[in-house]
Amino acid sequence: MKILAIHGSPRTIRSTTRRLAGFVLEGAADAGAETEMIDLADYRIVPCTACEACTLNGTCVNDDDLPSLVARMKEADAIVFGSPVYIDNITGQMKVFFDRLADAIHYQQLAGKYGCAVATTEESGGDDVVAYLSHVLNYLGIISVGGISVATGGKPEPVDAAEPAARALGKKLADAVRDGYADPVQEAVLTDNRAYFRSMVEENRDLRPEEYERWMRMGWIR
């Protein structure tokens, strides 16, 4: 069982969000998972230009670190998204990364995995960012087992106080990988998403035959 955390703060190891995500991974590790933390700021990820090349042939025109990150996401059983609140939203690093996941979203390449989300903020917006991160997980075909946000007031103590809850979230994520986790509301969202993307998969069946056949095997196209 492998659980991967993707952390979007430019502060990397000095980030309180990273500390919170680390507690989640520690809880997952205690439950038997192999864990890994990725700091997006350590990687070169070029903004999407909306050229649609990835949709047509599965290959981005940009030569950067994104393909290796997607490969690691595919290898993982579960994914944790973490971002601090920057002007009521995720960081620029996280947004650029998400925009480049269009191919994984359109073809539902991460479907069947589980995830969760964490955020920190000085005062407000944490719950909204957790909700957005969870929304992106669903777009990727991933079921979220929950999330946690912490308002720090500019101090480290609130994150430390959240350690038990964050570790419990990590255990819940590992348990979901091991035993399964059902959420009818999210499953309905995922079904609606696949219905929306189905026309793209069908339209590009000659360009992306392997993806089309995978959708057929999954029963998403009949």
Side-chain angles (χ1 to χ4, degrees):
M1 184 197 325
K2 182 171 183 178
I3 295 180
L4 177 69
I6 299 177
H7 163 244
S9 172
R11 292 182 175 178
T12 60
I13 62 172
R14 297 181 295 112
S15 165
T16 54
T17 308
R18 191 184 201 277
R19 183 166 175 77
L20 184 62
F23 290 147
V24 174
L25 291 185
E26 289 171 12
D30 289 343
E34 175 188 346
T35 66
E36 180 184 6
M37 177 84 73
I38 286 176
D39 296 302
L40 288 178
D42 289 339
Y43 294 83
R44 179 175 174 270
I45 305 175
V46 177
C48 178
T49 61
C51 70
E52 298 188 2
C54 65
T55 297
L56 298 176
N57 60 28
T59 303
C60 183
V61 298
N62 294 304
D63 183 14
D64 61 9
D65 295 325
L66 193 280
S68 66
L69 295 181
V70 172
R72 286 153 79 177
M73 293 172 74
K74 290 179 178 179
E75 292 171 356
D77 298 295
I79 294 175
V80 181
F81 283 154
S83 176
V85 177
Y86 276 27
I87 313 181
D88 295 326
N89 213 310
I90 58 175
T91 64
Q93 286 85 354
M94 202 81 181
K95 186 61 170 69
V96 169
F97 171 67
F98 283 167
D99 287 348
R100 289 287 304 284
L101 295 178
D103 193 52
I105 289 171
H106 292 158
Y107 289 92
Q108 296 289 278
Q109 294 171 352
L110 301 177
K113 300 183 188 298
Y114 298 96
C116 67
V118 301
T120 63
T121 178
E122 185 164 340
E123 294 183 1
S124 63
D127 290 344
D128 290 338
V129 164
V130 165
Y132 177 69
L133 295 172
S134 300
H135 173 69
V136 175
L137 286 169
N138 283 172
Y139 254 153
L140 287 160
I142 298 171
I143 292 284
S144 173
V145 303
I148 183 170
S149 70
V150 177
T152 67
K155 299 177 181 180
E157 289 82 5
V159 172
D160 292 335
E163 179 178 353
R167 283 178 171 269
L169 181 60
K171 180 182 183 303
K172 185 177 181 181
L173 185 58
D175 289 345
V177 173
R178 181 182 295 110
D179 304 322
Y181 178 85
D183 183 330
V185 173
Q186 290 188 71
E187 288 162 6
V189 170
L190 267 58
T191 298
D192 288 345
N193 288 344
R194 287 194 295 268
Y196 180 80
F197 297 132
R198 185 183 302 127
S199 61
M200 180 182 299
V201 178
E202 291 176 329
E203 181 180 347
N204 295 326
R205 61 182 297 178
D206 293 334
L207 297 171
R208 306 286 297 276
E210 293 182 359
E211 288 293 346
Y212 182 84
E213 290 170 5
R214 183 174 67 87
W215 275 58
M216 291 282 288
R217 290 195 303 272
M218 296 297 292
W220 299 338
I221 293 177
R222 292 184 174 86

